[in-house]
Amino acid sequence: MNMEVPEGHPRAESLRIREKLIRGFEMGVVAKAGLIAHGRGEAFDYIIGEETIEPAMNAIRAAVALMLTAEHPVISVNGNTAALVPKEIVELAKLVNAKIEVNIFYHSPERVNAIRRLLEDAGAEEILGIDDQYKTTIPEISSMRRYVDVRGIYKADVVLVPLEDGDRTEALVKLGKKVIAIDLNPLSRTAQWATITIVDNIVRCVPLMCDIARELRGRDRQELGRIVEKFDNRENLKLVIRHILERLSELSKKGIYLPEVSEVFKEMRE
Ligand code: ATP
Ligand code: MG
């Protein structure tokens, strides 16, 4: 099934993203639960205003600075991430010199292969997490996600985990790793446990991370270290929640969200 998204549709962008996920599902890349997880993210994006807010931008800067100063940075890729931003993930990995590792909850050799093919088509040269020879476990995790690559997440000091599950974020943090999460829900366990939480849609966030990586690449380590030091995740999450609060408070006064609705009702009154 491939529905054309009509031009000019008010939710065109969001529908196009859904189409990408459905195609990813049909290719065996995205899990059923991945489709549901996306819906939860969309709901938060609606409330946030479907834009990258300032606290997200600050988290992006800190996250990129942290990746650039890391010893062994790793980007963990699941089905939704591979379906939505494969090229951008490969680009970011190159810019910050990070390894890419496939790590999925609903594990099967077919799914791992489908994700690998997609990442290779996007230009990835080395993909970890697919060769059994290098497989080891993180005992703190009970799901299939406990299998990690000895060359990747196992020895990483910084792990970027887009659209992550809370259990694993908690486990990685408890193992002493710095975890960067991309999650539209500032209240999720992932968002709360992460070292740096970027509350933004992955489709907006990863291209912005690439831009910032290009900007910060040449800076010296001290300066990058200062950017990381200055960032306070708890304070930043407060700012995200305040943004939501203020936006909803504004809307609660008007009761109307869409300008076109407002126009029609005004005309009817006149
Ligand atoms: P947690 O396990 O961290 O408590 P959860 O169980 O509520 O979270 P999961 O299904 O484990 O949620 O993970 C999906 C998360 O990914 C959700 O928090 C959702 O907001 C987020 N998400 C989904 N799609 C996107 C997207 N496109 N961009 C950013 N975040 C997204
Ligand atoms: Mg979860």
Side-chain angles (χ1 to χ4, degrees):
M1 188 197 76
N2 262 329
M3 265 169 37
E4 275 292 308
V5 178
E7 273 306 315
H9 188 286
R11 310 217 51 76
E13 185 51 28
S14 150
L15 292 176
R16 265 194 290 273
I17 297 170
R18 282 190 183 180
E19 278 303 312
K20 267 196 190 173
L21 280 172
I22 292 169
R23 248 176 283 134
F25 176 72
E26 287 164 349
M27 283 161 61
V29 165
V30 172
K32 268 187 207 157
L35 298 175
I36 297 169
H38 182 74
R40 181 175 287 162
E42 273 184 337
F44 278 97
D45 209 12
Y46 220 129
I47 290 171
I48 286 168
E50 293 173 304
E51 60 175 5
T52 304
I53 59 177
E54 204 183 313
M57 210 55 227
N58 291 336
I60 286 174
R61 277 188 90 76
V64 171
L66 182 63
M67 291 185 93
L68 285 168
T69 49
E71 201 79 33
H72 296 292
V74 174
I75 303 176
S76 175
V77 175
N78 67 0
N80 286 38
T81 303
L84 292 176
V85 281
K87 286 212 175 75
E88 294 83 349
I89 286 288
V90 172
E91 194 185 353
L92 180 63
K94 284 185 181 151
L95 286 165
V96 301
N97 212 2
K99 300 222 179 285
I100 293 176
E101 177 164 341
V102 176
N103 185 275
I104 54 179
F105 196 91
Y106 298 94
H107 199 277
S108 76
E110 293 76 23
R111 244 192 107 209
V112 171
N113 256 323
I115 294 174
R116 182 182 70 179
R117 271 199 304 276
L118 216 149
L119 289 170
E120 279 172 354
D121 287 348
E125 279 150 28
E126 188 190 27
I127 303 167
L128 307 182
I130 49 185
D131 189 342
D132 278 350
Q133 196 189 329
Y134 298 103
K135 195 160 85 174
T136 187
T137 58
I138 294 181
E140 286 79 1
I141 303 174
S142 53
S143 74
M144 287 300 277
R145 298 195 83 166
R146 69 180 177 277
Y147 294 108
V148 294
D149 198 304
V150 287
R151 303 160 299 170
I153 292 172
Y154 186 75
K155 73 164 188 188
D157 51 347
V158 173
V159 192
L160 170 64
V161 291
L163 325 187
E164 186 60 31
D165 177 66
D167 294 334
R168 203 170 70 116
T169 310
E170 179 180 345
L172 292 174
V173 169
K174 285 185 172 166
L175 283 170
K177 298 182 191 301
K178 294 192 171 135
V179 176
I180 302 164
I182 302 173
D183 191 336
L184 277 161
N185 176 4
L187 310 176
S188 75
R189 287 172 311 139
T190 301
Q192 298 278 316
W193 269 105
T195 318
I196 297 179
T197 308
I198 307 171
V199 181
D200 196 15
N201 197 320
I202 190 174
V203 300
R204 293 189 300 267
C205 172
V206 182
L208 285 170
M209 290 180 86
C210 291
D211 291 345
I212 299 296
R214 271 185 287 270
E215 182 195 326
L216 296 182
R217 250 155 81 93
R219 308 281 176 90
D220 62 58
R221 289 184 67 83
Q222 272 192 346
E223 191 184 342
L224 295 172
R226 276 198 297 272
I227 295 175
V228 176
E229 282 300 303
K230 253 184 30 208
F231 181 80
D232 181 334
N233 206 44
R234 202 53 55 199
E235 285 306 313
N236 203 59
L237 280 170
K238 285 190 204 167
L239 294 176
V240 172
I241 296 167
R242 194 169 309 149
H243 165 86
I244 292 174
L245 192 67
E246 282 168 6
R247 187 156 189 274
L248 291 180
S249 163
E250 221 24 65
L251 290 170
S252 78
K253 288 177 201 147
K254 290 192 275 186
I256 283 182
Y257 173 57
L258 299 168
E260 60 266 34
V261 174
S262 180
E263 279 306 305
V264 169
F265 279 90
K266 208 171 90 198
E267 273 166 31
M268 281 164 70
R269 271 200 309 274
E270 276 163 6

